[in-house]
Amino acid sequence: MLAVYAASQSASDPLSGLQIGERPEPEVLPGWEVVALRAATLNRHDLWSLQGVGLPPERLPMILGCDGAGVTADGREVIVHGVVSSPGWSGDETLDPRRSLLSEVHQGTFAEKVVVPARNLVPKPDGMSWEVAATLPTAWLTAYRMLFTQAKVSPGDLVLVQGAGGGVATACVQLGAAAGLRMWVTSRSEAKRQAALELGAEAAFESGARLPEKVDAVMETVGAATWSHSVNVLRPGGVVVISGATTGDAPPRAELTKIFFRQLTVAGSTMGTRQELERLATLVTTRGITPTIAQTMPLAQARRGFELMAGGEGFGKIVFTM
């Protein structure tokens, strides 16, 4: 079957290890199901895998891709939940210390077929396109959990999203606006700030700018470059939720004094649960949310999508179709 996979890894030249070609069809394990994929979306996790982050070289070659949507052998249209818990685990799978994402231990979704645990299949809502369904399991699920599970924000709250333009940041803006939150964003790019306003953000600022008022919560995926700003713009008792650190995880100033003196909460967030993915799919459908898609291209042209992400181009998700 046609697949996009990591054949080798390089921290300085990650795309050198990216291959597009034939791979064996997956073996179906007991309790697992095969899904004929219709669409999958690119995530920064896929670039990290090519750089050697979270994917040991002894597991290569590894088909990349954390999320997707397709059809089961018996004809059900499903969304693939990418968090795979360990055998016997019950409860919140994101808290399982032995959990993994598809493409870390098990082959990923950038292929014509993928095999996943039966419990990882979520029914695709009627009328939802394959492209939209494929955007939900990683970036959009991460955003949903950040906002509604970890930050516990309510309609009318003021939320700042650092780094407009990325998949998680864009999802936060669209979900927050649909849920009645006041969404502010930052970005170094005027074009990305304008795009965020068009998606429902109330205001957009340059990165690090002084804000007109303090915010209730900050959605943080940038890391070192924006950490000090994220802490300083919070109201006393506010919360910063962090799900990534694309500019590094060692900020020059940790701001610990401000965190304890102003009683701020720092909450980590990783992906989401199957139940949260179901609720997310329902929210997107009932509120008529259209996830922002930067580009759609056939799986055979996936290298172009990786080049766009590596170059920081585009606004929204990059979708591969099968």
Side-chain angles (χ1 to χ4, degrees):
M1 64 177 183
L2 182 66
V4 177
Y5 59 97
S8 62
Q9 296 166 313
S10 170
S12 60
D13 185 16
L15 298 191
S16 64
L18 181 67
Q19 295 292 324
I20 303 173
E22 295 295 315
R23 295 296 301 158
E25 292 200 7
E27 178 183 352
V28 183
L29 305 172
W32 292 48
E33 293 195 44
V34 62
V35 177
L37 289 155
R38 296 293 184 266
T41 59
L42 182 62
N43 294 283
R44 191 157 293 276
H45 181 276
D46 301 304
L47 276 178
W48 291 337
S49 296
L50 289 165
Q51 292 175 313
V53 179
L55 178 62
E58 60 267 23
R59 293 182 188 158
L60 301 180
M62 175 65 74
I63 297 174
L64 300 172
C66 309
D67 54 19
V71 182
T72 62
D74 59 2
R76 288 171 291 135
E77 297 185 347
V78 296
I79 303 172
V80 176
H81 178 41
V83 182
V84 181
S85 57
S86 57
W89 178 265
S90 61
D92 186 334
E93 58 267 36
T94 68
L95 302 180
D96 179 1
R98 296 174 58 199
R99 73 185 185 276
S100 66
L101 290 182
L102 290 174
S103 77
E104 291 180 344
V105 176
H106 309 286
Q107 300 294 321
T109 56
F110 291 170
E112 294 175 310
K113 294 180 181 179
V114 68
V115 169
V116 297
R119 64 178 178 271
N120 281 54
L121 300 180
V122 172
K124 181 178 76 69
D126 292 339
M128 178 178 285
S129 73
W130 292 117
E131 291 81 4
V132 167
T135 67
L136 301 184
T138 300
W140 277 68
L141 178 59
T142 298
Y144 182 95
R145 185 176 179 89
M146 289 176 76
L147 285 168
F148 306 120
T149 303
Q150 303 297 71
K152 299 180 176 64
V153 287
S154 301
D157 283 348
L158 179 56
V159 179
L160 176 69
V161 179
Q162 296 280 23
V168 173
T170 303
C172 282
V173 171
Q174 292 189 258
L175 286 172
L181 303 172
R182 299 174 59 204
M183 303 302 296
W184 288 1
V185 302
T186 67
S187 177
R188 294 175 297 174
S189 165
E190 171 60 29
K192 291 182 178 181
R193 294 197 296 270
Q194 183 59 42
L197 293 172
E198 293 171 359
L199 289 177
E202 178 182 294
F205 306 89
E206 291 189 9
S207 298
R210 184 180 182 88
L211 302 184
E213 61 180 292
K214 299 291 186 179
V215 304
D216 298 297
V218 177
M219 302 296 107
E220 173 67 81
T221 62
V222 180
T226 55
W227 181 254
S228 181
H229 186 252
S230 292
V231 172
N232 279 285
V233 300
L234 280 171
R235 291 176 178 148
V239 56
V240 54
V241 182
I242 180 167
S243 69
T246 56
T247 61
D249 61 1
R253 297 177 60 184
E255 306 286 8
L256 296 182
T257 300
K258 293 175 181 176
I259 289 173
F260 72 72
F261 186 76
R262 291 161 54 199
Q263 300 185 71
L264 306 179
T265 297
V266 177
S269 193
T270 298
M271 292 289 287
T273 66
R274 182 190 185 282
Q275 289 72 28
E276 287 169 331
L277 179 55
E278 286 186 296
R279 293 198 293 269
L280 168 62
T282 299
L283 176 62
V284 167
T285 301
T286 57
R287 297 305 300 267
I289 303 171
T290 302
T292 300
I293 294 174
Q295 288 201 36
T296 300
M297 60 194 69
L299 185 66
Q301 299 175 14
R303 178 172 292 274
R304 175 58 178 156
F306 276 82
E307 291 170 347
L308 289 171
M309 174 167 281
E313 301 176 48
F315 188 100
K317 297 295 291 179
I318 296 172
V319 180
F320 302 141
T321 56
M322 289 61 164

